[in-house]
Amino acid sequence: MALVTLGLAACSPQVATHGNLVDPDALAKIEPGRSDQAAVLSLLGSPSTRGNFNEPTWYYIGQKTERQAFYRPETIERKVVYIDFEPDGRVKSIGSLDLEDGSKIAFVTRETPTAGQRITLIKQLIGNIGRFNTEDQ
């Protein structure tokens, strides 16, 4: 009976949380136009990343994945909360994106051709015969 229980426990899905999943109650306390960066920092903690090129936007990114036995993990929840700030540091707007807002990216496997020849190992070995000068040694 213990082996059956242990076997079933091994097949149960493992849920892992990565990043910073924002607490909805803490997010509700942030008021656009009133809250500042210090208030956001104290309520939500430090952001996962900030906007590029001095863009005054903070991003809180988190996701939950589920893995069963030896299968590849599957993302079951993803949440990106972004907070835009005014130049004076007050909250301008708050938005969020979830798993459905993302899109799958198809990678292109083509290669860009380069100038020159493709030389195989055999061509390299045969091409070097007779190129060595014994007088230089």
Side-chain angles (χ1 to χ4, degrees):
M1 190 62 133
L3 287 175
V4 171
T5 305
L6 188 62
L8 289 174
C11 292
S12 65
Q14 300 171 358
V15 177
T17 302
H18 302 280
N20 187 351
L21 284 173
V22 173
D23 180 27
D25 295 332
L27 189 61
K29 293 178 183 176
I30 299 172
E31 299 177 33
R34 291 188 164 193
S35 301
D36 61 355
Q37 290 180 345
V40 172
L41 198 59
S42 68
L43 287 169
L44 304 181
S46 60
S48 302
T49 188
R50 296 177 186 212
N52 293 332
F53 308 111
N54 294 326
E55 178 185 330
T57 305
W58 289 2
Y59 298 93
Y60 292 88
I61 305 167
Q63 72 177 10
K64 283 186 181 181
T65 57
E66 183 179 76
R67 182 182 191 132
Q68 192 155 6
F70 53 85
Y71 294 109
R72 175 177 271 163
E74 180 182 341
T75 303
I76 55 174
E77 179 185 357
R78 180 178 300 133
K79 187 86 167 186
V80 177
V81 174
Y82 56 92
I83 301 175
D84 290 320
F85 293 98
E86 297 285 351
D88 64 355
R90 287 180 295 124
V91 174
K92 179 179 178 181
S93 64
I94 300 171
S96 67
L97 304 168
D98 57 11
L99 191 59
E100 287 78 32
D101 293 323
S103 60
K104 297 198 182 242
I105 298 172
F107 291 101
V108 178
T109 58
R110 297 183 307 228
E111 293 182 13
T112 303
T114 59
Q117 302 176 16
R118 289 200 167 235
I119 300 174
T120 63
L121 179 64
I122 295 173
K123 284 183 181 178
Q124 286 179 356
L125 292 174
I126 293 174
N128 285 329
I129 295 177
R131 287 193 176 185
F132 299 105
N133 191 356
T134 57
E135 295 175 8
D136 293 338
Q137 294 180 357

